[in-house]
Amino acid sequence: MNIKSQFENIQLPDGFVYPKSFMEFIKLEPLPDLKPWWFLHKYAGTSEAWLKTVREQYPNRRLVPFAKMEHTDDVVCFDASGPSSDPIVHYVHTYASPGWEDRGHVINFDAWLKAAIADAQQFKAADEQE
């Protein structure tokens, strides 16, 4: 997969650049299974569609979504409100009224990845018990 082509058509906020740790991680083949999380870029047009959705719903925030939790409206987004090579990651419950969408944040992609790995381990353990 050509990672660069996955992001070429996305109209990112001025000055925003995906963090290096994110770009290096998504180049892994295959990507580690982080279910229930999945990366938006894996499906054509999904990154752009979620970016548009988040912009429309929360026009006062500058967010760049990159992953979604299955079976929910929760997405994780980079904070594009200011220049940063390692932006904060926000948990956003889309379709909630503005002001109610915030589900917390972590300091950067690496912190989110650590939490997502823990989520995936819990998800798999719960699946095995069923």
Side-chain angles (χ1 to χ4, degrees), residues 107-129:
I107 194 158
N108 59 17
F109 176 75
D110 292 333
W112 175 81
L113 183 58
K114 184 177 179 181
I117 290 169
D119 289 345
Q121 290 170 341
Q122 288 178 347
F123 186 83
K124 287 177 186 115
D127 258 3
E128 290 172 2
Q129 291 179 357

Side-chain angles (χ1 to χ4, degrees), residues 19-122:
K20 182 178 179 183
S21 58
F22 170 74
M23 294 304 289
E24 289 185 4
F25 181 81
I26 64 172
K27 289 179 187 175
L28 296 175
E29 286 293 334
L31 273 176
D33 180 9
L34 296 179
K35 189 176 184 178
W37 291 101
W38 55 274
F39 288 94
L40 302 178
H41 78 279
K42 294 297 282 181
Y43 303 96
T46 306
S47 292
E48 192 169 17
W50 276 103
L51 182 62
K52 180 181 176 189
T53 297
V54 168
R55 279 183 181 158
E56 289 173 355
Q57 292 178 3
Y58 312 110
N60 293 329
R61 298 189 71 181
R62 290 177 39 120
L63 300 169
V64 177
F66 66 88
K68 183 179 182 312
M69 182 176 271
E70 65 180 45
H71 306 302
T72 73
D73 292 327
D74 293 349
V75 294
V76 285
C77 306
F78 294 115
D79 184 336
S81 63
S84 175
S85 62
D86 199 19
I88 292 172
V89 172
H90 293 278
Y91 292 86
V92 177
H93 184 69
T94 57
Y95 302 101
S97 299
W100 294 95
E101 78 280 6
D102 187 15
R103 296 290 186 256
H105 67 275
V106 291
I107 194 158
N108 59 17
F109 176 75
D110 292 333
W112 175 81
L113 183 58
K114 184 177 179 181
I117 290 169
D119 289 345
Q121 290 170 341
Q122 288 178 347

